[in-house]
Amino acid sequence: MSRSRRLVIALLVPLLLLGSYLYLKKQTVTQEAPGEAEQYDLISRAAEDLERIEVLRADGSSLVLLKEEERWVLPVPWKDELDQSRLDLVIRISSMLSADRRLENPAIGLEDFGLKPPQAVVTLAFRGGERSVFELGYPTPSGKQRYIRPEGSEAVYTIDTSRVAQFFLNQQDFRNTMIPTVNAEELRYLFFRRKGEIIELVPVETLESEPLSSIFTSLVMIRPRGPRGIDAHELEQLMEKLPRELKIQDFVEEKPEDLGLYGLDSPSYELQLRDRERSLSFIVGTRDSIGNYYVRFGEEERVVTLAESDLAVLQMDSFLLMDKFPLIISIDKIDAFTVVHENETFSARIERNSSPDSDEPQVRYILEGKEIDEKAFKKLYQKLVGIIGDAPNRGELPTARPEFGITYRLKDDPQGEASVWFKPVDKDFYAAFTDQDKSLFLVASRQIKGAAELLHKMTGE
């Protein structure tokens, strides 16, 4: 082949491809939306004039929206659960429908537009008995528009799919899927059950008597051990995992006959929360095929699903929530204490004597029979009551004798005492006991060593 011939072919091929592209593009535009781009008002009424929407679809499904006493509803038993904001939006859109193209005497048949039979027949009933009926066909090739034909019209129009999407919704799409939770900052009650484990928090003022151990928060733990104070920071972090609203993923069954199908006959979790104004209660069962959890709210019969991400609050730990002090007693509640370290015993007392010159008593701080500075005495006391649990005791009950112990004598009850003892578990930890056979915490050896060293230093032994 000559060089000039190859050059001609090289120039012709791009021109032929360009011509083919322009031809196909013209054919596509002609089939999809011939005619001039313009605005065609199909429905233009005030939203308040609309009284009923009825949709019959090719697959046999239907949708009916009714106005009852100026409120839009569906003929369903769960009218109180309708998403009114979504309903109002649908009504506003449906009362004003504008097409963007008009196809006069379309070359292809109505069946090619999905209009014979139509994919949906929509009837809008207005105040005064007026009705508007139109048919909806297939989406256009681009997917951005849908064919539409008013009843009795020979013309076919195209309309933006977003303007008619509501006519392909089902009843459940109008159901409110958002469940409000509680105000975490005003939490007044928490009950949590997980496979036999129970955590319960109540307002401190509901306790029948004031706890011996100091409480620094408005809530107090009464189960699994209590009454005990709450770690406010841990509770705040836990409640941050609870969304302001829980989103229902699916409405599974309205009146289930067998809760065992969903693991709700013996739920994995139960949670009750209450703030000053509202409450939230639900049980959680097994997962569905896509990983969501079956849930039942309060006294409701229905079963729904929630996403795992909405249930992160269920991964709570009683050890993290409770304060970690084995025994913390305000210095104002005691008048003496004794510390035992190995084979040595140390005693301290607080003498409060009334003064004729002041409403406040004169206070003397005595350690091992010697009066010491108030600041030094309180530093020692803070070191002792400030011993804190480093880890939960999962069952360590050592039989060794305690190596360190503190016994407090209560000011208002001369015969009353409260003690905490520390038994070695290994070289790193002690088990803290406040009762003869109960130990909630493991305490790092360094804490016991630090308290003992300060005590010996202050007594000169």
Side-chain angles (χ1 to χ4, degrees), residues 412-426:
D412 298 328
D413 183 3
Q415 303 302 316
E417 292 183 344
S419 300
V420 58
W421 298 92
F422 301 89
K423 295 182 179 182
V425 174
D426 52 34

PDB file of all heavy atoms in Angstrom, residues 412-426:
ATOM      1  N   ASP A 412     -19.709   8.915 114.643  1.00  0.00           N
ATOM      2  CA  ASP A 412     -21.062   8.934 115.197  1.00  0.00           C
ATOM      3  C   ASP A 412     -21.488   7.603 115.785  1.00  0.00           C
ATOM      4  O   ASP A 412     -22.615   7.462 116.260  1.00  0.00           O
ATOM      5  CB  ASP A 412     -22.059   9.371 114.115  1.00  0.00           C
ATOM      6  CG  ASP A 412     -21.781  10.785 113.625  1.00  0.00           C
ATOM      7  OD1 ASP A 412     -21.311  11.603 114.452  1.00  0.00           O
ATOM      8  OD2 ASP A 412     -22.012  11.059 112.428  1.00  0.00           O
ATOM      9  N   ASP A 413     -20.620   6.619 115.709  1.00  0.00           N
ATOM     10  CA  ASP A 413     -20.924   5.298 116.259  1.00  0.00           C
ATOM     11  C   ASP A 413     -19.646   4.747 116.862  1.00  0.00           C
ATOM     12  O   ASP A 413     -18.873   4.058 116.195  1.00  0.00           O
ATOM     13  CB  ASP A 413     -21.443   4.378 115.151  1.00  0.00           C
ATOM     14  CG  ASP A 413     -21.835   3.013 115.676  1.00  0.00           C
ATOM     15  OD1 ASP A 413     -21.757   2.806 116.907  1.00  0.00           O
ATOM     16  OD2 ASP A 413     -22.214   2.152 114.853  1.00  0.00           O
ATOM     17  N   PRO A 414     -19.390   5.042 118.129  1.00  0.00           N
ATOM     18  CA  PRO A 414     -18.125   4.633 118.753  1.00  0.00           C
ATOM     19  C   PRO A 414     -17.848   3.137 118.665  1.00  0.00           C
ATOM     20  O   PRO A 414     -16.688   2.724 118.694  1.00  0.00           O
ATOM     21  CB  PRO A 414     -18.298   5.078 120.215  1.00  0.00           C
ATOM     22  CG  PRO A 414     -19.305   6.175 120.154  1.00  0.00           C
ATOM     23  CD  PRO A 414     -20.239   5.811 119.053  1.00  0.00           C
ATOM     24  N   GLN A 415     -18.906   2.341 118.541  1.00  0.00           N
ATOM     25  CA  GLN A 415     -18.712   0.899 118.420  1.00  0.00           C
ATOM     26  C   GLN A 415     -18.593   0.455 116.961  1.00  0.00           C
ATOM     27  O   GLN A 415     -18.305  -0.701 116.681  1.00  0.00           O
ATOM     28  CB  GLN A 415     -19.890   0.155 119.072  1.00  0.00           C
ATOM     29  CG  GLN A 415     -20.109   0.516 120.534  1.00  0.00           C
ATOM     30  CD  GLN A 415     -18.887   0.252 121.380  1.00  0.00           C
ATOM     31  OE1 GLN A 415     -18.246  -0.792 121.245  1.00  0.00           O
ATOM     32  NE2 GLN A 415     -18.547   1.207 122.250  1.00  0.00           N
ATOM     33  N   GLY A 416     -18.862   1.396 116.042  1.00  0.00           N
ATOM     34  CA  GLY A 416     -18.867   1.050 114.620  1.00  0.00           C
ATOM     35  C   GLY A 416     -17.484   1.138 114.011  1.00  0.00           C
ATOM     36  O   GLY A 416     -16.712   2.062 114.291  1.00  0.00           O
ATOM     37  N   GLU A 417     -17.184   0.174 113.202  1.00  0.00           N
ATOM     38  CA  GLU A 417     -15.886   0.145 112.520  1.00  0.00           C
ATOM     39  C   GLU A 417     -16.092  -0.280 111.066  1.00  0.00           C
ATOM     40  O   GLU A 417     -17.078  -0.944 110.723  1.00  0.00           O
ATOM     41  CB  GLU A 417     -14.927  -0.835 113.203  1.00  0.00           C
ATOM     42  CG  GLU A 417     -14.479  -0.423 114.587  1.00  0.00           C
ATOM     43  CD  GLU A 417     -13.477  -1.388 115.173  1.00  0.00           C
ATOM     44  OE1 GLU A 417     -13.362  -2.518 114.645  1.00  0.00           O
ATOM     45  OE2 GLU A 417     -12.795  -1.020 116.151  1.00  0.00           O
ATOM     46  N   ALA A 418     -15.153   0.080 110.218  1.00  0.00           N
ATOM     47  CA  ALA A 418     -15.128  -0.356 108.821  1.00  0.00           C
ATOM     48  C   ALA A 418     -13.680  -0.641 108.457  1.00  0.00           C
ATOM     49  O   ALA A 418     -12.794   0.167 108.781  1.00  0.00           O
ATOM     50  CB  ALA A 418     -15.712   0.708 107.910  1.00  0.00           C
ATOM     51  N   SER A 419     -13.463  -1.773 107.807  1.00  0.00           N
ATOM     52  CA  SER A 419     -12.083  -2.184 107.526  1.00  0.00           C
ATOM     53  C   SER A 419     -11.893  -2.565 106.068  1.00  0.00           C
ATOM     54  O   SER A 419     -12.841  -2.959 105.372  1.00  0.00           O
ATOM     55  CB  SER A 419     -11.703  -3.395 108.402  1.00  0.00           C
ATOM     56  OG  SER A 419     -11.799  -3.095 109.767  1.00  0.00           O
ATOM     57  N   VAL A 420     -10.681  -2.437 105.603  1.00  0.00           N
ATOM     58  CA  VAL A 420     -10.270  -2.947 104.305  1.00  0.00           C
ATOM     59  C   VAL A 420      -8.924  -3.632 104.496  1.00  0.00           C
ATOM     60  O   VAL A 420      -8.034  -3.118 105.182  1.00  0.00           O
ATOM     61  CB  VAL A 420     -10.189  -1.818 103.242  1.00  0.00           C
ATOM     62  CG1 VAL A 420      -9.237  -0.710 103.655  1.00  0.00           C
ATOM     63  CG2 VAL A 420      -9.795  -2.391 101.884  1.00  0.00           C
ATOM     64  N   TRP A 421      -8.789  -4.843 103.921  1.00  0.00           N
ATOM     65  CA  TRP A 421      -7.581  -5.646 104.078  1.00  0.00           C
ATOM     66  C   TRP A 421      -7.038  -6.018 102.713  1.00  0.00           C
ATOM     67  O   TRP A 421      -7.790  -6.178 101.751  1.00  0.00           O
ATOM     68  CB  TRP A 421      -7.887  -6.921 104.879  1.00  0.00           C
ATOM     69  CG  TRP A 421      -8.359  -6.634 106.271  1.00  0.00           C
ATOM     70  CD1 TRP A 421      -9.646  -6.489 106.689  1.00  0.00           C
ATOM     71  CD2 TRP A 421      -7.536  -6.417 107.403  1.00  0.00           C
ATOM     72  NE1 TRP A 421      -9.693  -6.198 108.014  1.00  0.00           N
ATOM     73  CE2 TRP A 421      -8.403  -6.150 108.499  1.00  0.00           C
ATOM     74  CE3 TRP A 421      -6.162  -6.420 107.632  1.00  0.00           C
ATOM     75  CZ2 TRP A 421      -7.946  -5.891 109.781  1.00  0.00           C
ATOM     76  CZ3 TRP A 421      -5.702  -6.167 108.915  1.00  0.00           C
ATOM     77  CH2 TRP A 421      -6.588  -5.898 109.972  1.00  0.00           C
ATOM     78  N   PHE A 422      -5.731  -6.170 102.649  1.00  0.00           N
ATOM     79  CA  PHE A 422      -5.059  -6.456 101.379  1.00  0.00           C
ATOM     80  C   PHE A 422      -4.222  -7.727 101.535  1.00  0.00           C
ATOM     81  O   PHE A 422      -3.269  -7.752 102.313  1.00  0.00           O
ATOM     82  CB  PHE A 422      -4.185  -5.271 100.958  1.00  0.00           C
ATOM     83  CG  PHE A 422      -4.959  -3.994 100.780  1.00  0.00           C
ATOM     84  CD1 PHE A 422      -5.144  -3.124 101.862  1.00  0.00           C
ATOM     85  CD2 PHE A 422      -5.523  -3.665  99.571  1.00  0.00           C
ATOM     86  CE1 PHE A 422      -5.875  -1.951 101.723  1.00  0.00           C
ATOM     87  CE2 PHE A 422      -6.252  -2.484  99.414  1.00  0.00           C
ATOM     88  CZ  PHE A 422      -6.432  -1.631 100.500  1.00  0.00           C
ATOM     89  N   LYS A 423      -4.606  -8.755 100.771  1.00  0.00           N
ATOM     90  CA  LYS A 423      -3.900 -10.030 100.804  1.00  0.00           C
ATOM     91  C   LYS A 423      -3.085 -10.187  99.525  1.00  0.00           C
ATOM     92  O   LYS A 423      -3.592  -9.923  98.422  1.00  0.00           O
ATOM     93  CB  LYS A 423      -4.885 -11.193 100.916  1.00  0.00           C
ATOM     94  CG  LYS A 423      -5.674 -11.231 102.211  1.00  0.00           C
ATOM     95  CD  LYS A 423      -6.590 -12.446 102.239  1.00  0.00           C
ATOM     96  CE  LYS A 423      -7.379 -12.521 103.541  1.00  0.00           C
ATOM     97  NZ  LYS A 423      -8.244 -13.735 103.577  1.00  0.00           N
ATOM     98  N   PRO A 424      -1.836 -10.641  99.632  1.00  0.00           N
ATOM     99  CA  PRO A 424      -1.017 -10.784  98.426  1.00  0.00           C
ATOM    100  C   PRO A 424      -1.531 -11.890  97.516  1.00  0.00           C
ATOM    101  O   PRO A 424      -1.867 -12.986  97.972  1.00  0.00           O
ATOM    102  CB  PRO A 424       0.360 -11.117  98.987  1.00  0.00           C
ATOM    103  CG  PRO A 424       0.103 -11.716 100.319  1.00  0.00           C
ATOM    104  CD  PRO A 424      -1.118 -11.038 100.853  1.00  0.00           C
ATOM    105  N   VAL A 425      -1.599 -11.562  96.215  1.00  0.00           N
ATOM    106  CA  VAL A 425      -1.959 -12.562  95.199  1.00  0.00           C
ATOM    107  C   VAL A 425      -0.692 -13.083  94.538  1.00  0.00           C
ATOM    108  O   VAL A 425      -0.499 -14.274  94.356  1.00  0.00           O
ATOM    109  CB  VAL A 425      -2.892 -11.940  94.135  1.00  0.00           C
ATOM    110  CG1 VAL A 425      -3.162 -12.922  92.998  1.00  0.00           C
ATOM    111  CG2 VAL A 425      -4.197 -11.469  94.762  1.00  0.00           C
ATOM    112  N   ASP A 426       0.176 -12.172  94.174  1.00  0.00           N
ATOM    113  CA  ASP A 426       1.494 -12.483  93.638  1.00  0.00           C
ATOM    114  C   ASP A 426       2.369 -11.272  93.928  1.00  0.00           C
ATOM    115  O   ASP A 426       1.984 -10.382  94.700  1.00  0.00           O
ATOM    116  CB  ASP A 426       1.433 -12.830  92.137  1.00  0.00           C
ATOM    117  CG  ASP A 426       0.712 -11.767  91.319  1.00  0.00           C
ATOM    118  OD1 ASP A 426       0.832 -10.564  91.673  1.00  0.00           O
ATOM    119  OD2 ASP A 426       0.041 -12.112  90.337  1.00  0.00           O
TER     120      ASP A 426
END
